[in-house]
Amino acid sequence: AQTVTQSQPEMSVQEAETVTLSCTYDTSESNYYLFWYKQPPSRQMILVIRQEAYKQQNATENRFSVNFQKAAKSFSLKISDSQLGDTAMYFCAFMKHANNDMRFGAGTRLTVKP
Amino acid sequence: GAVVSQHPSRVICKSGTSVKIECRSLDFQATTMFWYRQFPKQSLMLMATSNEGSKATYEQGVEKDKFLINHASLTLSTLTVTSAHPEDSSFYICSARRLAGGPNEQFFGPGTRLTVL
């Protein structure tokens, strides 16, 4: 079974600064995807960034980037130039390629302070 | 594109009644839909996976007779909570995987808050 671990229940960052959220996972699969989702107070899950395991290059989406270390099974999210609207719960997720079975970490509550 | 809707957004019911939640993919066909449950301040837990035209696959510990799932078409899946009790109160989220084309990912609905009195 796949497990996803987010060891930081809560984090805070000053507006305009950079913050990194940690995520590790455990799997015996070789073909999979990793995601970071944002869940604001509205509870709507919003995809932040995705990474295919077979790609060595780290994914980047504007202010969001990941540090994917496949051997270490680590998938951290870096948010640059943090904005007040980034305040939300962030979930790391693992999805098997074969059946799209998605597992989520416990989440990290991020607060961006003005 | 890739919008998923859920109806209702919130529902309050009495203990012992059944509640049906609909999940629709509005602008794409979904081979597979997923149902998650989220308790306050907790993560999403996969309840079941439904494929169009076949029986749903339930995660260990999820009572299939209590949480009935029907995936009647490529755009609609329903979750019926039968004989609901207060412990079933939770936030239920569905997601859908596109039939073909596009990146391999799930698109999430806005969720349904169920309160059982």
Side-chain angles (χ1 to χ4, degrees):
Chain A
Q2 284 67 232
T3 58
V4 181
T5 302
Q6 292 179 250
S7 59
Q8 305 152 315
E10 294 188 16
M11 292 194 72
S12 64
V13 62
Q14 290 296 132
E15 192 175 9
E17 294 189 346
T18 296
V19 64
T20 298
L21 308 184
S22 301
C23 173
T24 59
Y25 60 95
D26 186 25
T27 185
S28 57
E29 300 284 328
S30 58
N31 198 1
Y32 54 88
Y33 303 85
L34 295 164
F35 304 86
W36 278 98
Y37 283 93
K38 169 184 177 181
Q39 189 180 44
S42 68
R43 308 290 291 273
Q44 172 72 59
M45 297 291 283
I46 300 168
L47 177 64
V48 175
I49 200 164
R50 66 197 300 269
Q51 174 83 42
E52 290 90 341
Y54 66 87
K55 290 187 177 179
Q56 292 186 340
Q57 187 173 6
N58 289 325
T60 299
E61 287 289 340
N62 301 313
R63 299 184 293 108
F64 301 88
S65 61
V66 297
N67 184 0
F68 175 44
Q69 302 290 328
K70 190 172 183 179
K73 296 180 181 175
S74 170
F75 184 62
S76 61
L77 173 70
K78 185 172 81 172
I79 305 175
S80 304
D81 186 26
S82 297
Q83 300 177 359
L84 297 178
D86 295 334
T87 293
M89 280 291 289
Y90 286 81
F91 292 101
C92 177
F94 170 101
M95 186 173 81
K96 287 199 290 188
H97 174 76
N99 61 5
N100 295 131
D101 189 337
M102 185 176 280
R103 306 290 165 167
F104 290 85
T108 297
R109 182 173 300 280
L110 175 67
T111 301
V112 180
K113 299 179 178 179
Chain B
V3 178
V4 176
S5 70
Q6 279 185 245
H7 178 79
S9 58
R10 56 179 60 198
V11 57
I12 301 173
C13 69
K14 293 182 178 180
S15 185
T17 61
S18 295
V19 174
K20 180 184 285 188
I21 301 170
E22 292 186 349
C23 176
R24 293 182 185 273
S25 55
L26 298 184
D27 51 2
F28 67 99
Q29 291 183 321
T31 48
T32 306
M33 289 184 170
F34 304 86
W35 287 95
Y36 296 86
R37 185 173 182 176
Q38 186 179 30
F39 289 109
K41 298 186 178 180
Q42 293 190 23
S43 187
L44 281 73
M45 298 299 294
L46 179 65
M47 298 175 65
T49 301
S50 74
N51 293 292
E52 186 266 338
S54 64
K55 289 184 178 180
T57 302
Y58 291 81
E59 294 298 302
Q60 191 172 8
V62 177
E63 299 176 58
K64 59 182 178 182
D65 294 331
K66 181 167 189 61
F67 298 100
L68 301 179
I69 292 172
N70 187 312
H71 193 156
S73 75
L74 287 173
T75 59
L76 173 64
S77 176
T78 60
L79 168 68
T80 301
V81 183
T82 62
S83 186
H85 288 93
E87 58 265 30
D88 298 324
S89 298
S90 188
F91 194 68
Y92 292 87
I93 303 175
C94 75
S95 70
R97 180 179 181 274
R98 201 195 309 255
L99 176 62
N104 192 350
E105 65 180 280
Q106 295 181 22
F107 300 96
F108 287 85
T112 296
R113 183 178 301 283
L114 170 63
T115 302
V116 184
L117 302 177

